[in-house]
Amino acid sequence: MAPTVEEWIAGCTSYDGTPFELKKEYAQCSWIVTDSLALPNSFLRYVKNLASDGSKIHWVASKKDFGDALLVVLEDSTRNVYLHMTREDSSKVWVSSKTGCLFPGPCPHVPLGWSALAIVDNFDFEGMEQLLSADVFTGLGEAPIYPVLPGVVLEAGRDSLGNFVELNHGNGITSRMFGIGSWKMAPTVGKALGVKDAVGRLSPQDSSTFFLTVRQNGLFVRWKDFYKSTHPVDSTQIAIFKKNLPF
């Protein structure tokens, strides 16, 4: 009688992958990216679309349930690892090991290396009505202010609160930063800005503030809710997940 081929091997080779056994009953299926490469699920197909020909993709999972990966690795000019993690509601999500962001999706950066004022359910807006549609960030005077995501300048100018700039980040997301003390370099409409391109600085005082409005599909969303939606598991959970990887 011919020996039984393990299902995980058969599943890998049926899509022209190369199977590898790992320690502790885990295994890997690997592919070299070509135009004609067919892959078995939508996530792998998305990762392939990010890669250039000759790149390698690795699917790592338990032999017992090879369809449920622990992680996927894309080896291109850089090495990117995507972790398959469980949220509090028990649903599975893909998270970038490098950034902690939901993948695929926007990956916002905090526009200051400081903190946003927490707007809780019973927050008293009296005298701070502008916070009904904005979040306030605080930092040391003259600290640089960065875009929350790469984007294109829609509008820039000055109002009663100081300088302001509005960016279009694509995928229905826009942001408006206002109350900026001074420009680092006055942005012009149509200019593309990255997350490392400082748009301006806080006012020159010991503790200074500016305001941020993020909109998704035209609707205002609180910064803490927007950031949490893009970071579905916290850094502690990611560290524990990596530590418990069985290889």
Side-chain angles (χ1 to χ4, degrees), residues 56-137:
K56 295 179 181 179
I57 297 176
H58 311 291
W59 174 275
V60 180
S62 166
K63 292 180 185 177
K64 295 178 182 178
D65 189 6
F66 202 62
D68 186 17
L70 282 177
L71 55 88
V72 162
V73 180
L74 169 61
E75 289 184 328
D76 207 331
S77 55
T78 59
R79 186 175 186 271
N80 294 292
V81 180
Y82 306 110
L83 308 174
H84 203 196
M85 300 189 65
T86 305
R87 286 195 282 205
E88 292 179 358
D89 64 3
S90 298
S91 63
K92 286 281 189 90
V93 290
W94 290 98
V95 174
S96 168
S97 175
K98 187 180 296 184
T99 64
C101 283
L102 183 69
F103 183 87
C107 191
H109 292 243
V110 180
L112 278 177
W114 296 81
S115 61
L117 177 66
I119 309 295
V120 294
D121 290 342
N122 61 350
F123 187 83
D124 184 4
F125 290 96
E126 187 173 352
M128 302 183 74
E129 284 75 15
Q130 66 266 36
L131 298 187
L132 288 167
S133 59
D135 288 283
V136 60
F137 284 75

Side-chain angles (χ1 to χ4, degrees), residues 1-241:
M1 181 180 293
T4 302
V5 178
E6 291 192 61
E7 289 184 8
W8 74 272
I9 295 178
C12 177
T13 56
S14 68
Y15 280 91
D16 297 322
T18 302
F20 297 92
E21 292 207 39
L22 303 176
K23 297 177 181 178
K24 299 182 180 179
E25 292 300 308
Y26 284 82
Q28 173 180 311
C29 188
S30 298
W31 296 269
I32 295 176
V33 173
T34 64
D35 282 342
S36 60
L37 177 64
L39 291 170
N41 61 58
S42 59
F43 183 76
L44 283 173
R45 290 191 289 272
Y46 182 84
V47 173
K48 176 199 166 185
N49 288 337
L50 302 178
S52 56
D53 281 3
S55 303
K56 295 179 181 179
I57 297 176
H58 311 291
W59 174 275
V60 180
S62 166
K63 292 180 185 177
K64 295 178 182 178
D65 189 6
F66 202 62
D68 186 17
L70 282 177
L71 55 88
V72 162
V73 180
L74 169 61
E75 289 184 328
D76 207 331
S77 55
T78 59
R79 186 175 186 271
N80 294 292
V81 180
Y82 306 110
L83 308 174
H84 203 196
M85 300 189 65
T86 305
R87 286 195 282 205
E88 292 179 358
D89 64 3
S90 298
S91 63
K92 286 281 189 90
V93 290
W94 290 98
V95 174
S96 168
S97 175
K98 187 180 296 184
T99 64
C101 283
L102 183 69
F103 183 87
C107 191
H109 292 243
V110 180
L112 278 177
W114 296 81
S115 61
L117 177 66
I119 309 295
V120 294
D121 290 342
N122 61 350
F123 187 83
D124 184 4
F125 290 96
E126 187 173 352
M128 302 183 74
E129 284 75 15
Q130 66 266 36
L131 298 187
L132 288 167
S133 59
D135 288 283
V136 60
F137 284 75
T138 62
L140 294 177
E142 296 190 289
I145 301 167
Y146 298 94
V148 296
L149 291 165
V152 175
V153 177
L154 290 174
E155 186 182 5
R158 186 171 180 83
D159 59 19
S160 60
L161 292 172
N163 297 314
F164 71 87
V165 60
E166 185 167 354
L167 300 176
N168 180 8
H169 306 291
N171 298 310
I173 301 170
T174 62
S175 68
R176 184 180 179 92
M177 293 180 282
F178 52 105
I180 299 170
S182 62
W183 296 123
K184 183 172 182 181
M185 182 179 294
T188 56
V189 173
K191 182 178 177 63
L193 297 175
V195 294
K196 294 183 179 180
D197 296 324
V199 296
R201 295 186 179 276
L202 295 180
S203 299
Q205 49 197 24
D206 291 344
S207 178
S208 191
T209 63
F210 85 103
F211 302 94
L212 169 69
T213 295
V214 175
R215 294 186 183 276
Q216 284 186 293
N217 299 319
L219 299 177
F220 169 59
V221 57
R222 285 277 171 214
W223 169 254
K224 65 180 179 65
D225 296 326
F226 177 63
Y227 193 83
K228 185 176 181 180
S229 72
T230 61
H231 292 73
V233 291
D234 62 32
S235 57
T236 301
Q237 290 172 279
I238 292 174
I240 293 171
F241 185 89

